[in-house]
Amino acid sequence: MLPVMWVGMRDGLTPSPNTELRREAMKIFRRESRGRHLYSVTEDNGTLHEFPSVTAITGQLEKPALYGWYNKMGRQAILDYLSPYRGKYLPKAKFDLALDEAKARPTKVRDEAADYGTEAHEIIRRIIMGEKPDVPARQEHTIASFEAWRKEAGLDTLAFGEFMVASLIYGYGGTLDAIGQRNQETIYLDWKTGNALYNEAAYQLAAYAVAHREIHSLPLYGYEGWVVRLGKDRPDFEARRVDLFAAFEMFKNLLQVFEGRRESVWEAEKKP
C-alpha cells in the first residue's frame, strides 16, 4: 500500500498516494498579541502567514466546572480576608477590600497554575534534551511523576522537547510537547499539570499531530497520541490515549466556529 500524504486546501483534505507537501523548510515563529499566541509562518518560497494558536481555537469551549471553581475561590478569599475581624466592627472600606480580593483571587490562582505548568514543561523539555536541570522543591513531585510515567511507558525513544508546528492546510499553529517512538510507531505526547484531563486536551494534541505530519509529509497511519497528567501533590500520573481522528474532527469544528466568529453576520444597512 502506498503511503497516503496530506494534500488539499484549508477547507478539506484529499488523500493522494503520489503527491507530497514540501514543508521542511518552513519557518515558524511565535509572538504574543493581546495575551494570546500567534504563529507567524514563512514558507520556503517566502510567503508569510499569521495563524491563531491551537489553544486559542480550543479555548472557545465553555467550561461549566470553572463557574463553581471561581465561586469557591471568591468565597474563600472573603473568608481569608475577613476572618481576623470575626466578632469585631467591620468598616465598609475593609469590606470593599474583601470584595476586591474575592474578584482578584481566581485570576491570581489561575495565573500561578499557568506559571507552574510552564515551569514544569521547561524542566521536562531540558530532561528530554539530555540536560540535568535543577528541580525546584515545588516541582519535585511533578518531575518524579514524569520519570515514573517514562519508565512505565517503555518508549524506545523520547525526543524533541517542545517544538512548534503549523498547518498551512488548515491555518493554525501550536507547540507540541514531545514525540516518542515504540515498535517503530510514532507517539505524540502532551503534558498536563492540572487536577483533571478534559476533552480539550485531546483536541489540542490531535491538531499538533496533524500539523507535524503535514509538515513532514508523513502518512495518515502508524501513529498514536497520549495526554499525560502529571501529579503535583504526589508522584503519580494519569495517561490516556487519544482517538486522534475523532479528536481532530472536533478540532475542525472548533476551527470553523473560530473563523466564523471573525466574519460579519450583518448585512450592509440600507434605507427603506
Side-chain angles (χ1 to χ4, degrees):
M1 179 179 179
L2 290 172
V4 178
M5 300 296 178
W6 297 105
V7 0
M9 302 303 291
R10 283 181 55 185
D11 59 353
L13 286 175
T14 304
S16 168
N18 301 315
T19 308
E20 296 185 6
L21 295 176
R22 299 296 183 182
R23 305 290 194 228
E24 287 84 351
M26 190 167 70
K27 296 179 180 178
I28 308 172
F29 298 94
R30 184 176 64 194
R31 69 179 183 86
E32 294 281 343
S33 176
R34 297 179 181 178
R36 289 187 170 182
H37 290 148
L38 287 176
Y39 287 80
S40 297
V41 181
T42 305
E43 295 186 60
D44 52 2
N45 63 7
T47 302
L48 176 66
H49 309 270
E50 192 158 78
F51 295 145
S53 69
V54 167
T55 52
I57 294 164
T58 60
Q60 303 171 100
L61 288 169
E62 286 287 332
K63 300 176 178 64
L66 284 181
Y67 301 145
W69 180 83
Y70 271 84
N71 189 296
K72 178 182 177 181
M73 288 294 102
R75 294 199 312 271
Q76 188 60 51
I78 290 177
L79 288 174
D80 292 343
Y81 194 86
L82 297 183
S83 59
Y85 298 94
R86 185 172 297 176
K88 300 178 181 179
Y89 170 73
L90 180 68
K92 183 179 182 301
K94 291 293 184 182
F95 183 75
D96 290 341
L97 288 174
L99 292 179
D100 291 341
E101 176 66 17
K103 293 176 183 178
R105 177 73 65 86
T107 300
K108 180 181 178 182
V109 173
R110 182 199 63 194
D111 291 347
E112 287 174 351
D115 291 342
Y116 183 96
T118 299
E119 182 181 51
H121 276 70
E122 174 60 16
I123 294 170
I124 293 171
R125 182 195 70 80
R126 294 179 62 187
I127 291 172
I128 291 173
M129 299 306 290
E131 300 179 32
K132 295 182 179 180
D134 293 331
V135 179
R138 71 172 190 157
Q139 292 284 353
E140 287 179 353
H141 288 322
T142 296
I143 302 308
S145 299
F146 166 73
E147 295 293 359
W149 166 82
R150 188 177 189 177
K151 182 177 180 180
E152 185 173 304
L155 299 180
D156 300 326
T157 60
L158 180 61
F160 304 113
E162 288 207 346
F163 61 101
M164 289 179 285
V165 294
S167 169
L168 295 180
I169 291 175
Y170 287 103
Y172 64 82
T175 302
L176 180 60
D177 284 347
I179 291 180
Q181 190 172 55
R182 183 171 52 222
N183 299 326
Q184 298 184 330
E185 185 169 72
T186 300
I187 314 291
Y188 293 99
L189 297 158
D190 194 36
W191 323 122
K192 298 297 181 186
T193 56
N195 295 323
L197 291 180
Y198 301 98
N199 288 353
E200 183 177 347
Y203 309 152
Q204 292 168 1
L205 182 60
Y208 300 146
V210 165
H212 177 261
R213 299 189 81 76
E214 177 192 321
I215 289 172
H216 297 287
S217 298
L218 295 172
L220 304 181
Y221 57 84
Y223 62 100
E224 60 187 65
W226 289 78
V227 178
V228 184
R229 186 181 65 83
L230 303 170
K232 292 189 289 187
D233 300 324
R234 60 183 184 275
D236 65 356
F237 64 87
E238 177 187 7
R240 299 189 65 181
R241 183 172 177 175
V242 176
D243 182 337
L244 291 172
F245 290 96
F248 189 65
E249 287 301 310
M250 282 298 301
F251 178 79
K252 286 195 294 184
N253 292 335
L254 291 171
L255 178 59
Q256 186 174 16
V257 171
F258 185 87
E259 293 180 337
R261 290 172 67 176
R262 295 188 292 184
E263 300 292 333
S264 174
V265 294
W266 303 103
E267 294 185 1
E269 188 174 342
K270 296 180 180 179
K271 294 182 180 180

